[in-house]
Amino acid sequence: KITSLIILLGLFSWVASAQIPGSFVTSPDKHLSVQLTLKDGLAGYQVFKNNQPLLAPSALGLVLTDVDLSKNLKEVSKSPEKTITQTYAMCNAKKANLRYQAKQRSWTLATPTGQSLEIIFQVSNDAVAFRYRVKRPKEAISKVESEPTSFAFLAESRAWLQPMAVAKSGWEATNPSYEETYEQDIAVGTPSTKGAGWVYPALFKTKDTWILLTEAGLDSTYCATRLQDQSPGGEYFIGFPDAREVIKDKNLKPRARGTFQSPWRVLTIGNLATLIESTAGTDLALPAQKVDADFI
């Protein structure tokens, strides 16, 4: 108990020294909140439920081939908190008619050379989501080398994770096929059994609260991601695809022209019933596009 108290005091001390005034976003029902931190030029965030930490301070940022947006950052501006309300319908889903409401706030940070990084947080009653937006000249080509986003779980957290299969392994070299067996109730920080990372959705439990981690709102400018194999101290990092997974004559890593944004990083939070009933994944997905169905 004394050790746990010391760890908690250390976390609160770190946050207090790094927090930006007005840096919280709180869910409409006031139970979930997220805080942006900026310390020694490094951006981070922390998630709370009923004012108790669910995640330890975790990293934010992007690394492009021509500029590092993960360090030497300073605050430029922040938006006021606003309410986002959206309604939509689905033919085959948990509900036919859905209503999404969340609180949104964004921060703009910048490097010493003036390149900006906007971090957008949206917090609903059952999920914390965030994404990056990078403003570039209209004709500029941006290539993302890595995304050092992390999810630092508390030491006592447990995990239910599916290992990523090694690329080009298995029947007819078709892996990864996302058909591996989930490792159940393992300690956070346990390396992947196959050495290739972990797939989404990734399930965690901290005390009596469950957290389901995934991504949403992916478009053609960004690659699908996974969690990296190594998670020292229970801190999981975003990983990009294996080079062997690239489609011929296509890009392996994110590449965009002009201003671009990342997918949403989504943490659905609550009891198991909340996770099962949540529609956070479709709430944050891109709108459906009409297609010519004559081929069916």
Side-chain angles (χ1 to χ4, degrees):
K1 291 183 178 179
I2 293 176
T3 301
S4 298
L5 179 60
I6 292 173
I7 292 173
L8 283 174
L9 288 173
L11 287 176
F12 287 125
S13 175
W14 189 96
V15 172
S17 67
Q19 67 185 24
I20 300 172
S23 58
F24 274 99
V25 189
T26 304
S27 62
D29 66 5
K30 309 298 184 184
H31 289 298
L32 295 180
S33 60
V34 62
Q35 183 182 35
L36 182 75
T37 58
L38 188 62
K39 183 177 177 65
D40 299 328
L42 303 176
Y45 71 102
Q46 189 169 12
V47 177
F48 300 84
K49 179 184 178 184
N50 296 326
N51 298 318
Q52 298 300 311
L54 281 183
L55 289 185
S58 304
L60 293 168
L62 289 175
V63 178
L64 310 188
T65 53
D66 61 340
V67 61
D68 190 338
L69 295 171
S70 68
K71 59 185 181 181
N72 298 320
L73 299 172
K74 63 178 181 180
E75 183 185 13
V76 175
S77 64
K78 57 178 174 286
S79 71
E81 186 178 85
K82 65 179 181 180
T83 300
I84 300 293
T85 303
Q86 299 173 347
T87 58
Y88 62 99
M90 296 189 70
C91 295
N92 299 292
K94 298 176 183 179
K95 299 177 182 178
N97 297 293
L98 301 102
R99 182 175 184 270
Y100 170 64
Q101 187 174 72
K103 295 291 187 178
Q104 183 194 83
R105 198 168 202 173
S106 64
W107 285 266
T108 300
L109 309 177
T111 66
T113 60
Q115 176 59 58
S116 66
L117 173 68
E118 184 180 5
I119 306 171
I120 305 159
F121 279 97
Q122 284 185 193
V123 184
S124 63
N125 290 343
D126 63 3
V128 169
F130 62 91
R131 76 188 327 173
Y132 305 108
R133 180 177 292 132
V134 180
K135 294 183 179 180
R136 306 297 297 264
K138 185 176 181 180
E139 297 302 318
I141 300 297
S142 297
K143 299 178 182 179
V144 181
E145 187 62 31
S146 63
E147 182 184 328
T149 301
S150 76
F151 309 89
F153 288 89
L154 304 184
E156 67 267 28
S157 301
R158 307 294 292 180
W160 285 253
L161 304 173
Q162 181 188 149
M164 174 72 72
V166 176
K168 299 300 181 182
S169 65
W171 182 79
E172 294 293 325
T174 55
N175 277 328
S177 55
Y178 303 91
E179 296 176 342
E180 305 304 311
T181 300
Y182 266 78
E183 298 291 325
Q184 300 187 44
D185 196 15
I186 60 176
V188 292
T190 302
S192 169
T193 53
K194 296 184 179 297
W198 305 100
V199 309
Y200 303 127
L203 181 65
F204 300 87
K205 186 180 183 183
T206 298
K207 298 179 181 177
D208 62 348
T209 300
W210 295 83
I211 303 170
L212 189 67
L213 172 60
T214 191
E215 61 184 358
L218 182 68
D219 66 19
S220 61
T221 65
Y222 217 91
C223 62
T225 67
R226 78 271 315 259
L227 297 177
Q228 291 183 21
D229 172 51
Q230 299 294 321
S231 49
E235 185 172 14
Y236 292 79
F237 289 86
I238 293 288
F240 281 173
D242 187 295
R244 292 168 290 183
E245 296 176 59
V246 70
I247 298 174
K248 186 178 180 180
D249 299 325
K250 299 293 183 180
N251 299 305
L252 176 68
K253 296 180 179 181
R255 184 178 186 274
R257 184 185 299 274
T259 296
F260 71 95
Q261 58 191 14
S262 73
W264 290 102
R265 306 298 170 210
V266 187
L267 299 107
T268 305
I269 299 168
N271 56 29
L272 286 177
T274 298
L275 269 58
I276 291 170
E277 296 171 5
S278 175
T279 56
T282 53
D283 293 340
L284 296 160
L286 296 171
Q289 297 184 18
K290 292 183 178 180
V291 297
D292 184 354
D294 289 344
F295 67 91
I296 298 177

